[in-house]
Amino acid sequence: MDSKKHQGRTRAQESSNAIERMYITMRHLFNRGFYKPMGISGETLRQALLSLRPEIYGSVADEKAELEGLLYVIDRLPSGIEECSFINLTSDEGYSNSHFKAIIPEKRRRNCYRIDNEQMNIEITRGRSEIYDILTHLTFLFIESHKISNRVLINEEGLTTRDWEKLENAVLSKKKLSQEEREIAITHTANILGRTFREITTVYNSFATQKQPERLLHIVYWLGKLAIEEQVNNKKRTVTFTPVLRERIGHHIHGEIWADTVKETLYKNGLLNRPIHIISANMHSVMNTLFAFSALKTEFNKKDAFQVYEALSKGENATLRNKITKEALQKGMIYIDDKSGANIDVQIFDTEKLDASKIDLDISEKVLKETKPVILVMDYAFGEQAYETIDELLKPYQAKGKKVHLNVDSVSIMGKAGILEGGKGDIMIPFAHIFEGTADNYPFENELKKEDLEGQGVDVYEGSMITVLGTSLQNKDILKFFYNSTWQVIGLEMEGAHYQKAIQAAAKVRGSIGPDVKVRYAYYASDNPLETGATLASGGLGTSGVRPTYLITRTILKQILN
């Protein structure tokens, strides 16, 4: 028993050490300014990732190709990146005013620009977490590409297998593939990837886009082609960081511009001195909770609130969503379309213009009229960017040479997180955030309690949350250690400790806001990485995220408006 226990612990320690090695190596390579992912400089990153074997990257350490992990990564990187041998990470350096068309990845808001056939520029405006995220994904991508070249190369001169030649013909032919031709190409691809025909056909359509129905073939071909070039002709792929990015990172440049715009908007609308409630959430749930009832009376007569919210989350119901947005803008919602580069849009709701009787919530009209709170909803930050944005937002505003302190009553954070107990769609209420890789911990008095959300069709868990350096770096061994240890960890996410660090500093040390600011944290589970096949790479929440999202939103709004 003892030796087993000891081995189990060692694996978690090894994993923790691998994450630390990756983190330090990425910082070192960033300071150096460039590296070759499949060369000597990238070896530490590759070895650390392979010894870590994160859940999200599935079979990255096996010989066979990893398909779900590949889809997860490709959705978060710019389209066409598999064709590029030069990847350049830049700051906001003016490409938006050029002829280059911005490419925005499906699942990550970041501007990318294809400079020529060989080069892709990725704009980093959200801090270090974004760099770690991209480098981890690229490391995975390049490991996978070498698996392909190892399977198709016959000799050092570059002679390739018949499967590879057939795939090349299918990808390079300009004509549309018939079902028969597609299935022949899939057969060859399955051989190249070490996967079955069924496995490839199952994921095939998930990769497809309208412009590129055969996208999986295309990705496999280009990943393999560049890896063959590396192995046969020593043409190594290179990742570079521009001097401007290296100079600017960590200086809150985008966060400061973003926060100044928000405070200026509050000031111009005469809202700066009113009680302000900040909510970090998506851009629909607060607006829908406040205005759907009055904008969609007929729908609410036929269905209960959660059925309406579910209908709103479906792609085909754009007209219903537009109705609500129109209603909200007429009743005092101010929308800030973010141009700072922080990629965080903002909605401001002046509750003085709200009619309590037209909101589907149990709220006191008397309290609302007396307090006139202002609700400021900001879109999700990404990792370390959470500290930058809240830190800048809570600083006093300079109006006509005078310092005006914001009257911040509460900060509420609603987000998605991985859960270690329970499953997709469950809710986590934390009482502390712990920063991964350190013993830094941030306990707080959470205004949201388990009993506020219980008994409404969703399981609720209470405990501490771990703020990780990147969700794509976690494996079962580390997560089991967190879950079974006395830290009482119930889930993992990327922003909590950063938010709390900024709020605590502003309230308790810097005196930018009152010391008794209320905080609310609640997360709904996007996946359970301890369950096989339940990681983020296994797909989105679908409509199972609707109930927990609105339960949390409604509870936060009830507390604010009462």
Side-chain angles (χ1 to χ4, degrees):
M1 245 337 253
D2 275 355
S3 67
K4 260 192 183 169
K5 191 173 173 190
H6 187 67
Q7 279 172 346
R9 244 214 324 261
T10 321
R11 180 71 191 120
Q13 287 167 338
E14 266 173 33
S15 305
S16 183
N17 184 257
I19 290 179
E20 200 172 340
R21 272 207 317 279
M22 286 196 79
Y23 192 52
I24 292 165
T25 307
M26 289 194 274
R27 290 189 87 139
H28 162 70
L29 296 172
F30 173 69
N31 289 333
R32 181 184 165 195
F34 76 97
Y35 80 106
K36 293 181 173 163
M38 297 315 284
I40 293 164
S41 50
E43 188 162 1
T44 315
L45 276 188
R46 298 198 307 275
Q47 293 311 330
L49 192 70
L50 290 170
S51 77
L52 190 60
R53 299 194 296 278
E55 294 308 306
I56 225 154
Y57 297 142
S59 59
V60 67
D62 301 347
E63 265 185 50
K64 61 180 181 184
E66 164 56 33
L67 296 171
E68 282 185 340
L70 181 63
L71 179 62
Y72 180 83
V73 165
I74 283 291
D75 278 349
R76 283 156 181 77
L77 291 172
S79 174
I81 195 157
E82 68 279 357
E83 299 172 18
C84 298
S85 38
F86 296 94
I87 293 158
N88 195 13
L89 272 55
T90 76
S91 179
D92 178 358
E93 297 177 24
Y95 289 103
S96 55
N97 305 323
S98 67
H99 77 280
F100 297 114
K101 194 174 180 302
I103 305 168
I104 297 164
E106 176 88 6
K107 299 275 173 74
R108 280 274 185 271
R109 285 167 308 176
R110 49 172 76 114
N111 291 335
C112 310
Y113 301 93
R114 182 79 180 259
I115 305 302
D116 54 32
N117 285 344
E118 296 181 313
Q119 184 181 334
M120 179 72 77
N121 280 13
I122 302 178
E123 221 169 68
I124 305 288
T125 55
R126 307 178 76 163
R128 286 195 189 93
S129 298
E130 194 167 17
I131 296 175
Y132 303 144
D133 190 52
I134 290 167
L135 295 190
T136 314
H137 291 340
L138 289 176
T139 305
F140 164 81
L141 209 55
F142 294 159
I143 290 172
E144 289 294 314
S145 77
H146 271 244
K147 284 187 199 173
I148 297 168
S149 64
N150 289 339
R151 290 184 84 98
V152 301
L153 272 176
I154 295 171
N155 62 15
E156 287 174 7
E157 277 70 61
L159 194 67
T160 52
T161 61
R162 177 174 174 271
D163 284 318
W164 180 254
E165 286 158 19
K166 295 290 182 189
L167 172 65
E168 185 165 46
N169 293 340
V171 170
L172 298 182
S173 86
K174 293 280 180 269
K175 64 181 184 44
K176 197 168 179 265
L177 297 186
S178 67
Q179 180 65 16
E180 189 183 335
E181 289 166 328
R182 180 179 298 120
E183 289 184 355
I184 292 169
I186 288 174
T187 305
H188 295 300
T189 307
N191 279 344
I192 292 167
L193 297 180
R195 292 286 192 169
T196 64
F197 180 81
R198 182 188 283 122
E199 284 172 321
I200 305 282
T201 45
T202 308
V203 295
Y204 201 81
N205 288 337
S206 308
F207 280 90
T209 60
Q210 270 183 324
K211 278 188 184 167
Q212 243 186 346
E214 321 301 342
R215 184 156 163 247
L216 178 58
L217 302 181
H218 193 92
I219 289 165
V220 171
Y221 171 70
W222 280 98
L223 284 178
K225 184 175 163 61
L226 295 187
I228 292 168
E229 289 278 320
E230 287 192 331
Q231 282 177 288
V232 177
N233 304 322
N234 206 22
K235 279 181 70 178
K236 295 266 190 269
R237 284 168 284 193
T238 309
V239 175
T240 50
F241 308 92
T242 65
V244 179
L245 175 67
R246 285 152 65 203
E247 194 182 289
R248 284 181 178 175
I249 207 82
H251 290 306
H252 290 204
I253 288 169
H254 302 286
E256 188 176 355
I257 300 166
W258 173 82
D260 285 347
T261 308
V262 174
K263 288 183 274 199
E264 191 184 338
T265 308
L266 288 167
Y267 177 70
K268 281 182 178 166
N269 287 279
L271 305 172
L272 206 55
N273 297 317
R274 299 250 296 271
I276 295 169
H277 297 266
I278 299 165
I279 303 177
S280 167
N282 53 58
M283 286 282 100
H284 53 260
S285 54
V286 173
M287 176 175 74
N288 289 351
T289 307
L290 293 175
F291 297 103
F293 189 64
S294 57
L296 308 174
K297 283 193 190 71
T298 47
E299 278 78 5
F300 271 86
N301 287 340
K302 291 179 209 159
K303 302 169 180 171
D304 88 326
F306 287 98
Q307 288 173 313
V308 177
Y309 299 144
E310 203 160 301
L312 288 169
S313 74
K314 289 181 180 153
E316 64 267 23
N317 288 327
T319 46
L320 295 182
R321 291 194 291 276
N322 294 340
K323 258 187 180 177
I324 297 170
T325 310
K326 194 176 163 193
E327 175 92 0
L329 289 165
Q330 283 169 353
K331 301 277 167 67
M333 177 179 90
I334 301 161
Y335 182 73
I336 304 173
D337 183 11
D338 180 36
K339 299 279 189 283
S340 71
N343 271 320
I344 297 179
D345 296 336
V346 174
Q347 295 164 331
I348 297 167
F349 300 95
D350 177 359
T351 61
E352 198 175 14
K353 295 175 179 168
L354 287 182
D355 180 349
S357 65
K358 288 185 178 164
I359 302 171
D360 178 39
L361 282 176
D362 184 16
I363 48 180
S364 154
E365 204 158 345
K366 185 169 172 281
V367 173
L368 199 59
K369 283 211 165 79
E370 281 168 14
T371 53
K372 295 185 241 179
V374 171
I375 298 170
L376 190 157
V377 181
M378 58 183 275
D379 211 341
Y380 299 120
F382 186 69
E384 282 186 21
Q385 190 195 27
Y387 177 78
E388 176 178 335
T389 46
I390 292 287
D391 184 55
E392 292 296 334
L393 185 59
L394 299 181
K395 284 178 183 172
Y397 178 67
Q398 293 283 348
K400 296 180 180 168
K402 274 189 191 158
K403 252 191 200 179
V404 181
H405 285 265
L406 272 70
N407 180 10
V408 177
D409 246 21
S410 75
V411 184
S412 305
I413 312 294
M414 172 177 89
K416 263 196 302 208
I419 195 167
L420 301 182
E421 183 179 351
K424 274 189 184 188
D426 290 346
I427 291 176
M428 292 157 274
I429 305 288
F431 50 67
H433 284 112
I434 303 150
F435 196 41
E436 181 181 42
T438 68
D440 296 357
N441 55 85
Y442 301 90
F444 47 83
E445 177 64 41
N446 195 342
E447 294 294 312
L448 292 172
K449 300 282 180 265
K450 191 177 175 180
E451 50 270 25
D452 297 334
L453 294 142
E454 271 181 324
Q456 310 207 46
V458 176
D459 288 344
V460 186
Y461 299 90
E462 248 177 338
S464 59
M465 298 283 288
I466 194 119
T467 298
V468 296
L469 298 168
T471 47
S472 54
L473 289 180
Q474 308 309 308
N475 70 13
K476 279 200 171 87
D477 303 289
I478 294 187
L479 299 175
K480 276 182 186 152
F481 168 73
F482 288 145
Y483 181 55
N484 296 324
S485 73
T486 51
W487 286 109
Q488 302 175 51
V489 174
I490 50 166
L492 62 145
E493 48 75 61
M494 280 181 67
E495 291 80 29
H498 301 297
Y499 278 128
Q500 191 54 28
K501 187 162 58 169
I503 296 164
Q504 225 163 275
K508 306 278 196 277
V509 183
R510 304 174 85 164
S512 310
I513 57 173
D516 51 357
V517 62
K518 295 181 179 71
V519 292
R520 298 180 190 89
Y521 287 93
Y523 300 93
Y524 54 95
S526 54
D527 63 310
N528 182 337
L530 283 178
E531 281 177 25
T532 306
T535 67
L536 274 174
S538 66
L541 267 164
T543 52
S544 62
V546 174
R547 181 169 276 274
T549 303
Y550 281 94
L551 263 179
I552 296 168
T553 308
R554 290 167 72 91
T555 311
I556 289 173
L557 286 174
K558 262 190 237 171
Q559 290 193 358
I560 290 172
L561 300 174
N562 285 320

